[in-house]
Amino acid sequence: TLGPGAITVIDTDTNTVKGTTPLVGSPRMPVLDSQSGILFVAQTDEDNGPGTVSMIDARTNTVLTSVKVGISPADPALDAARHRLYVPTSTPDLIDVIDTQGNKVIAHVKAGRAVDFLVLDAPHRRLFAVRMNGITVINTKTNKPTAVIKLPVAVDNGPPALDAARQRLYVPTASQRGYIVIVDTRTNKVKSKIQVGYFPNGPLLDAARALLYVAEFDEGDGSTVAVIDTRTNRLGETITVGKGPSIPLLAEGTGRVYVPNWVSGTVSVLDVPATR
């Protein structure tokens, strides 16, 4: 919610609200470090003042400390193994790097204007800062930009999906028709693009089965999910779901996919056989 927000904690065994943790600003997407049990929440300020990142103990649901960051922070990305949190801000188009052990900002990375999404490739020590018309590639060891990838069409939704093993980044874009632009992250070059329905929402990668799911939102009028075989990067079947499908969720190990349908107010459950 806007203004001083909160994190609501739900007990998933009983499906009841267990508690509420108040915050100083409007929260972005929370990020959990499952090893330390710390939840990181970036918050924006209504008056365009400095943003805040709060560290919450997920066992007690209390705020341990907070760190000031740039104006209007977006959704952060966590490298838990290296104790780094990356927070995109709009002042002046910097990514603030937080040391999560010392709880302080240790670097500011200039990534270009209006970063919408961060995608972390931890095994290869890369961070992809996705903007409307391009991607800034950042070396997370040095916190320095190493390349800028120009996209053939503008990013209109997201977030992108990363296949770290195959070193591919799947970026949803929209123009007259929607596309999934495939970036080879070894060369930082656009490899190809796959045409899907207008305004693709997602996508979701099932790396174990080499499938990519793309919800085709189509400004709320869409009702399909496209399935792409990532071994061949070819469009396979299209599955009918509810109206206005949003970003899908994968139940790990089952191959089952849950698709929230924003307009219909329903959730579609997909059980797609692996491609042969």
Side-chain angles (χ1 to χ4, degrees):
T1 57
L2 294 175
I7 293 292
T8 298
V9 185
I10 297 173
D11 186 326
T12 57
D13 286 329
T14 62
N15 293 325
T16 57
V17 174
K18 187 176 181 179
T20 301
T21 304
L23 299 169
V24 297
S26 302
R28 303 290 301 189
M29 183 68 72
V31 179
L32 177 68
D33 182 345
S34 57
Q35 291 185 342
S36 67
I38 303 299
L39 188 73
F40 299 92
V41 187
Q43 300 144 72
T44 60
D45 184 281
E46 281 185 313
D47 300 320
N48 278 337
T52 304
V53 174
S54 294
M55 289 70 169
I56 299 173
D57 186 333
R59 294 163 294 189
T60 62
N61 300 320
T62 55
V63 176
L64 299 175
T65 188
S66 296
V67 177
K68 292 293 184 183
V69 292
I71 292 173
S72 301
D75 295 346
L78 174 67
D79 187 342
R82 298 186 64 246
H83 310 290
R84 296 290 183 266
L85 185 75
Y86 301 91
V87 187
T89 73
S90 59
T91 55
D93 307 314
L94 297 176
I95 295 173
D96 287 350
V97 184
I98 296 176
D99 178 344
T100 59
Q101 287 184 314
N103 294 325
K104 61 180 180 179
V105 176
I106 59 171
H108 306 282
V109 184
K110 194 167 182 62
R113 191 171 183 179
V115 173
D116 291 314
F117 306 102
L118 293 182
V119 181
L120 177 68
D121 184 356
H124 300 100
R125 293 195 172 184
R126 290 183 296 225
L127 182 72
F128 300 97
V130 183
R131 298 172 284 111
M132 179 172 284
N133 59 351
I135 301 170
T136 302
V137 185
I138 297 163
N139 183 326
T140 58
K141 185 177 181 180
T142 62
N143 290 322
K144 302 289 185 183
T146 58
V148 175
I149 304 168
K150 293 184 178 180
L151 299 174
V153 283
V155 175
D156 209 354
N157 209 4
L162 173 70
D163 188 337
R166 290 186 172 89
Q167 298 196 60
R168 296 286 185 271
L169 186 66
Y170 297 89
V171 185
T173 63
S175 55
Q176 292 291 329
R177 292 280 291 170
Y179 291 92
I180 298 297
V181 174
I182 304 171
V183 176
D184 186 331
T185 58
R186 291 170 298 187
T187 62
N188 294 324
K189 302 288 186 183
V190 173
K191 184 178 177 67
S192 59
K193 62 181 181 179
I194 304 171
Q195 189 175 71
V196 292
Y198 181 65
F199 208 76
N201 209 335
L204 168 72
L205 176 69
D206 182 348
R209 306 194 321 153
L211 295 175
L212 189 77
Y213 296 90
V214 184
E216 299 172 327
F217 186 77
D218 195 9
E219 294 186 334
D221 291 328
S223 58
T224 53
V225 171
V227 183
I228 295 170
D229 185 338
T230 59
R231 291 171 295 190
T232 62
N233 289 325
R234 291 184 177 178
L235 183 63
E237 62 180 308
T238 299
I239 303 170
T240 300
V241 292
K243 198 170 184 179
S246 186
I247 301 172
L249 175 70
L250 175 68
E252 294 289 347
T254 68
R256 188 161 289 178
V257 175
Y258 296 85
V259 185
N261 304 303
W262 184 72
V263 176
S264 298
T266 59
V267 175
S268 298
V269 184
L270 311 182
D271 193 1
V272 181
T275 56
R276 292 190 293 269

